[in-house]
Amino acid sequence: PAAAPAAAPAAAPAAVPAIRICLQGVMQQSEIGLAVITGRWAMNKADFESADSVAKTSWFEYKSDSEATGTPPSGKYLGRFDVNLPTGVQRMDENGLSLTFTPHEGKWTVRAAGSNAYGEFTMEGSAELGGAGAGPDEYAVELFRTYKPMKKSTDKKRSRKAGSSGGLKRPRSGSAQKEPRSAPAAAPASHLPSQVAAAANAVAANATAPAAASAPPPVLRVEPPLMRGLMSRDASGNVFIKGRWCLTAADIGDKAKTSPFEYKHTAVSNAMPLPIDGNYTGTFNLKLAHGRSEKVRDEGGLELRFTPSGDSAGSYSIAATGRNKYGEFTVTGTATRRDDGTGAEVYDVDLYREYIEGTARVPSNPPKAPKSRPAKKEPRTAPAPTSAFAVATASGTPPAPRQRKAPAKLVEEVPLAKRKGMSAKLSEILRHLKSQPEAYYFLEPVDPVKLNLPTYLQIIKRPMDYGTVTAKLQQGEYQNEDEFAADVDLIFTNAMVYNVEAAHPVHVGAKKMKGIFDKKIGELRAKVREDRERKAQEAVAQLPSPAKGVRAPKKAAKKPQSKVATGSGSSGGAGKTSGGRASGGG
């Protein structure tokens, strides 16, 4: 018989092309001396020149820490960037990011390394003082990012357990075989996630992925607040930008969800064409609770700079920095000439405000939590007399029966820390709440700067979260379960007060969690009442019987008086006395 053909050698895996993501931005110096690089990123440099560049690019920001040195400063940076997901925009953090700037032929070469949810990466690029899109004291920065291939898992324990079975673990009989973990797929999107996912899956087809639970939870309100208005000039030559602002661009057409703003620039000459670089001073309205509002003024105004975009519409890109009572912020946006047929200089302006993390101002005297009133103690009764007979002889009346009462130690409230098992029961309720899918909204304190919530501390006077409640419970700060319940209930109340829309995911989650908590704490309180009543009844049963009343002694019986006989005449009469002797007279 003919020999079987030899098996063909396995084909080598196709090489995965390296992805070079392009980041373009401008480095500015904040008022406190930190370097901030703000710009846009895309999957490749050509996306910046395409007609739909806005759809193909996303926001990013790098901010130096206090230890960065040099000009431009080299050292550690805090990085963030936006990713477009099917469910909306999600903000991602960079870890271990470091940038190094080296002078080279009038420019600076840039080297960087870091990691994020998509893996480790390196970057290289250049920085130029006063380059394209940057001011005379700013640096135009261009970086190219390359992700490193994902390493194959090397689990030593798994390899040791494999033994002689060829590295395959034999499943137990009678038990369902677990599905193998799949490699992590980047979030699908129009640019980074889809392409990174394709490359990462090809490189790490046999790699072990981290658990899905390690993925970062979605961040609330990651879209910067939008300020949309018109730029025009009055008869005196002053330039005004007036309009309305909102937290998300989708709400800009809803007057109930927007507030007015106005900025003014005093022009040096009426002959200067719009737009004009310079300082713009003004205020924006801030909605507070109960229908109130407040005007917030940006300290020192906004130093707006307009850079021609080079398109046929005659639009400009806008960049600025500023500070107000809520912290430092950056402003980016666009200005586009409006043709109203009259030839007047009018521009449509869109500005996005981003607060810089770590610069929020915390009130020096935050409001203190109201102290709960301790339960009223039952009045102690006077000690009973030691002798019921003493009472009887002193007053001449029998003593009243003694009232049977539980000892005062069962009536008075015992501190939570001294009640056995109570702290453990409250901790169990907290663990149950944290295990719910909606718990990630309430695990940590709300960061108004990171989440772009400048009004949060104005509306919510006493923030609360699961982490703070856990710490207070462990440190024994709660005197009873009512104080604990008040803090937990405050978490959900704050969430529903700030997110007033009933359909908002945070409002829905808070309402659901409140229902779960009310049920759990109600069951615990009922059990506590039952235990108290049972102990009180047991204590009463152990008390001695009340002393019986003592009757007054009976009076001695009166003896009958002796009868004496009397008479007259010679014959006389006779009578008997008690002694049997007779007496008479004549």
Side-chain angles (χ1 to χ4, degrees), residues 59-62 77-83 90-97 114-121 145 147 192 216-219 222 354 357 444 447 450-451:
W59 172 91
F60 81 91
E61 178 189 75
Y62 291 156
Y77 279 71
L78 301 175
R80 299 183 297 170
F81 64 94
D82 283 353
V83 177
Q90 179 171 336
R91 183 150 298 171
M92 312 290 287
D93 293 330
E94 307 276 299
N95 302 318
L97 184 63
S115 64
N116 55 36
Y118 298 102
E120 298 181 359
F121 60 84
R145 171 180 298 180
Y147 281 90
L192 170 67
V219 181
V222 295
E354 275 287 319
E357 183 178 359
E444 298 177 353
D447 188 339
K450 185 176 181 180
L451 301 179

Side-chain angles (χ1 to χ4, degrees), residues 62 65 73-79 94-101 110-115 121-123 143:
Y62 291 156
D65 65 5
S74 299
K76 296 181 180 180
Y77 279 71
L78 301 175
E94 307 276 299
N95 302 318
L97 184 63
S98 62
L99 276 70
T100 303
F101 294 84
V110 188
R111 296 284 188 271
S115 64
F121 60 84
T122 58
M123 291 192 297
L143 300 173

Side-chain angles (χ1 to χ4, degrees), residues 515-557:
I516 296 174
F517 174 70
D518 288 346
K519 180 180 178 181
K520 289 289 183 182
I521 197 66
E523 294 173 352
L524 179 61
R525 282 171 170 164
K527 184 67 168 56
V528 169
R529 285 194 298 269
E530 292 176 2
D531 291 344
R532 285 179 178 174
E533 292 175 359
R534 176 179 54 80
K535 290 180 180 180
Q537 293 173 359
E538 292 176 355
V540 170
Q542 295 176 2
L543 292 176
S545 300
K548 296 182 179 180
V550 179
R551 294 182 179 179
K554 295 182 179 180
K555 295 183 180 180

Side-chain angles (χ1 to χ4, degrees), residues 50-68:
S50 62
D52 55 345
S53 61
V54 176
K56 292 184 177 181
T57 61
S58 297
W59 172 91
F60 81 91
E61 178 189 75
Y62 291 156
K63 184 180 68 173
S64 67
D65 65 5
S66 58
E67 298 179 357

Side-chain angles (χ1 to χ4, degrees), residues 225-270:
L226 170 63
M227 307 171 72
R228 175 168 292 176
L230 290 178
M231 174 188 288
S232 59
R233 191 199 304 266
D234 65 4
S236 302
N238 297 321
V239 182
F240 289 88
I241 303 177
K242 298 180 181 180
R244 302 186 71 83
W245 74 276
C246 58
L247 289 176
T248 58
D251 298 334
I252 195 63
D254 189 347
K255 189 174 182 179
K257 298 180 180 179
T258 59
S259 299
F261 74 91
E262 178 179 339
Y263 288 93
K264 173 185 175 182
H265 172 69
T266 303
V268 178
S269 172
N270 294 348

